[in-house]
């Protein structure tokens, strides 16, 4: 059975917004180089033996086991679902947004859908590292979570669990003995080739969710409602906008990609930046153009304009002069002169 059969399937959110989940290619390459032991069951772009429709919503579950220091890591990335990690042994550099740490044996982590995180700094450590990713059908923080229909927690417990994860900033927890035992059962299942695993997978994941809720109940959980409001969705989108300012965005498309209506998105944009959405887009395009003019001298001003999303070179020059108080050509010459060594 091919453990690395990939199905490249982007995830489509509301109103056609498309997001791409991490494909874990550094892990795939490390396994192919015989650097780590790897076991996983997966769907979509994730590596591993294919999951069936009986566990729809479970996107990947597995582990890697590294017996010596590695030369790879999973750099900053996002996953489409809520993700649970468990470090059974060894140590692991780990970061979620602005929180960097080193995991030790028994550490258990939780990241919300599309929350930025990385494993390694930049390389991973020695150890056995588990993961579970469940798709709860959201693409932005304010949207309502929809758990897979085979999750059997009561409505009240599931609501409490959802709230505890959505409004909690603590990424790393010390796992309970029961959570450790649950991952031992998952390990045994991943290494059992005697039959179809769907039924046991559903049982173990339901058990894991119940144990996580109990862990929250025992701990001092501090909730933060701002993590699930629409303002945060707008802020995250505006941060990501700088990664692709050349796209032919409209206000409606920007609002849709943030999971918000046009009026609310525009309002939040003004709250966050004191600018309209199109002014923010122009600012990000100009920032990209300034960098490209300096870093890629082989490109003409017209090529820079096109690559940064400006409709014509004339419009680019007009906007550039208005904001930078000089032309693109003069800006490039000025910057080139400023980095020349003086003798």
């Amino acid at each position: 059975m091919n453990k690395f059969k990939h199905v490249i399937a982007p995830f489509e959110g509301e109103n056609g917004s498309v997001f791409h989940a991490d494909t874990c290619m550094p892990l795939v390459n490390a396994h192919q180089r015989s650097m780590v032991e790897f076991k996983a069951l997966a769907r979509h772009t994730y590596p591993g033996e294919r999951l069936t429709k009986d566990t729809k919503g479970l996107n990947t579950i597995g582990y890697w086991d590294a017996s010596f220091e590695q030369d790879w890591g999973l750099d900053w990335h996002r996953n489409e679902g809520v993700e649970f990690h468990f470090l059974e042994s060894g140590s692991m550099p780990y970061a979620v947004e602005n929180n960097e740490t080193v995991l030790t044996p028994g550490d258990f982590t939780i990241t919300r859908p599309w929350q930025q995180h990385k494993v390694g700094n930049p390389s991973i450590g020695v150890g056995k590292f588990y993961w579970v990713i469940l798709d709860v059908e959201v693409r932005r923080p304010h949207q309502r979570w929809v758990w897979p229909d085979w999750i059997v927690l009561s409505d009240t417990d599931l609501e409490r669990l959802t709230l505890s994860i959505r409004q909690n900033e603590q990424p790393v927890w010390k796992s309970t003995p029961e959570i450790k035992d649950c991952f031992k059962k998952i390990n045994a299942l991943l290494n059992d080739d005697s039959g179809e695993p769907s039924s046991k997978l559903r049982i173990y994941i339901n058990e894991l969710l119940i144990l996580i809720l109990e862990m929250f109940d025992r701990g001092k959980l501090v909730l933060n409602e701002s993590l699930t409001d629409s303002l945060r969705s707008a802020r995250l989108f505006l941060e990501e906008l700088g990664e692709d300012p050349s796209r032919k965005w409209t206000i409606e498309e920007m609002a849709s990609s943030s999971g918000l209506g046009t009026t609310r998105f525009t309002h939040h944009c003004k709250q966050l930046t004191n600018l309209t959405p199109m002014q923010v887009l122009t600012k990000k395009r100009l920032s990209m153009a300034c960098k490209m003019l300096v870093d890629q001298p082989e490109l003409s001003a017209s090529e820079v304009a096109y690559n940064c999303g400006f409709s014509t070179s004339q419009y680019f020059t007009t906007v550039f002069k208005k904001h930078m108080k000089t032309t693109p050509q003069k800006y490039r010459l000025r910057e080139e002169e400023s980095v020349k060594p003086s003798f």
Side-chain angles (χ1 to χ4, degrees):
M1 189 178 297
N2 183 2
K3 292 183 174 61
F4 300 110
K5 179 181 178 183
H6 285 257
V7 180
I8 306 302
F11 296 84
E12 186 169 319
E14 293 182 356
N15 302 317
S17 305
V18 177
F19 301 80
H20 296 270
D22 180 55
T23 58
C24 305
M25 287 309 298
L27 170 58
V28 173
N29 293 335
H31 179 72
Q32 291 172 342
R33 290 184 290 152
S34 301
M35 297 186 70
V36 293
E37 178 188 344
F38 168 82
K39 292 280 187 178
L41 300 170
R43 69 180 86 249
H44 303 310
T45 62
Y46 294 103
E49 298 180 18
R50 297 295 90 186
L51 286 162
T52 69
K53 63 181 181 181
D54 295 319
T55 52
K56 183 180 179 181
L58 172 62
N59 283 351
T60 175
I61 182 170
Y63 71 83
W64 77 63
D65 193 353
S67 58
F68 56 89
E69 294 290 336
Q70 304 284 305
D71 63 357
W72 62 277
L74 300 177
D75 204 357
W76 292 109
H77 64 282
R78 304 174 192 271
N79 297 104
E80 77 296 332
V82 57
E83 182 168 14
F84 308 106
H85 285 139
F86 171 68
L87 184 66
E88 180 181 284
S89 59
S91 64
M92 190 70 62
Y94 188 82
V96 178
E97 294 181 350
N98 296 323
N99 299 311
E100 296 202 21
T101 188
V102 176
L103 304 181
T104 57
D107 280 348
F108 181 77
T109 77
I110 303 173
T111 55
R112 298 184 297 274
W114 302 101
Q115 189 175 22
Q116 191 176 50
H117 60 285
K118 68 175 179 177
V119 184
N121 190 26
S123 300
I124 68 164
V126 173
K128 191 167 187 177
F129 192 62
Y130 291 82
W131 64 87
V132 178
I133 299 179
L134 288 171
D135 193 344
V136 289
E137 299 185 23
V138 298
R139 300 299 176 257
R140 291 294 168 186
H142 71 284
Q143 295 172 331
R144 178 178 175 271
W145 287 23
V146 179
W147 293 85
D149 58 12
W150 44 268
I151 299 300
V152 299
L153 278 70
S154 70
D155 291 344
T156 300
D157 281 347
L158 198 56
E159 184 177 349
R160 287 199 303 123
L161 177 65
T162 303
L163 188 67
S164 297
I165 296 175
R166 292 183 68 193
Q167 296 186 3
N168 171 35
E169 279 284 55
Q170 181 176 336
V172 181
W173 298 75
K174 275 297 178 186
S175 59
T176 64
E178 294 81 7
I179 288 177
K180 294 178 184 178
D181 288 342
C182 188
F183 275 99
K184 287 181 180 179
K185 289 186 281 190
I186 289 172
N187 175 80
L189 181 61
L190 291 170
N191 287 282
D192 183 0
D193 297 325
S194 63
E196 213 287 314
S198 294
S199 294
K200 287 185 177 179
L201 277 175
R202 289 161 61 149
I203 292 171
Y204 295 159
I205 290 171
N206 274 285
E207 179 183 355
L208 179 62
L209 295 180
I210 292 170
L211 293 172
I212 292 170
L213 183 58
E214 291 178 350
M215 179 183 72
F216 286 151
D217 289 341
R218 295 174 191 173
K220 295 180 179 179
L221 188 65
V222 178
L223 301 183
N224 180 356
E225 292 184 12
S226 69
L227 296 177
T228 58
D229 63 21
S230 56
L231 182 66
R232 185 167 188 267
S233 291
R235 184 174 67 251
L236 288 174
F237 171 77
L238 292 174
E239 290 172 358
E240 296 163 1
L241 184 61
E243 300 171 5
D244 187 22
S246 61
R247 178 173 165 177
K248 305 300 182 184
W249 289 103
T250 64
I251 294 177
E252 291 76 16
E253 288 172 338
M254 285 191 276
S256 173
S257 289
S258 69
L260 302 172
T262 303
T263 301
R264 181 171 290 274
F265 172 71
T266 301
H267 172 70
H268 285 329
C269 188
K270 289 284 286 185
Q271 277 184 296
L272 293 165
T273 67
N274 202 34
L275 299 171
T276 68
M278 297 312 294
Q279 287 172 331
V280 172
L281 178 61
T282 297
K283 185 177 179 181
K284 290 183 179 291
R285 285 174 170 171
L286 284 172
S287 177
M288 181 181 180
C290 288
K291 188 174 188 306
M292 197 173 290
L293 285 167
V294 175
D295 294 348
Q296 300 184 51
E298 73 279 4
L299 296 180
S300 67
S302 295
E303 290 171 319
V304 170
Y306 176 77
N307 289 336
C308 295
F310 291 95
S311 54
T312 67
S313 58
Q314 292 85 354
Y315 177 65
F316 170 56
T317 300
T318 299
V319 174
F320 198 94
K321 286 177 66 176
K322 177 182 178 181
H323 290 269
M324 305 302 296
K325 310 305 179 186
T326 187
T327 65
Q329 293 85 350
K330 289 180 179 179
Y331 176 86
R332 172 178 271 169
L333 289 172
R334 187 184 73 193
E335 293 301 307
E336 288 175 349
E337 288 294 327
S338 69
V339 297
K340 284 183 179 179
S342 57
F343 298 97

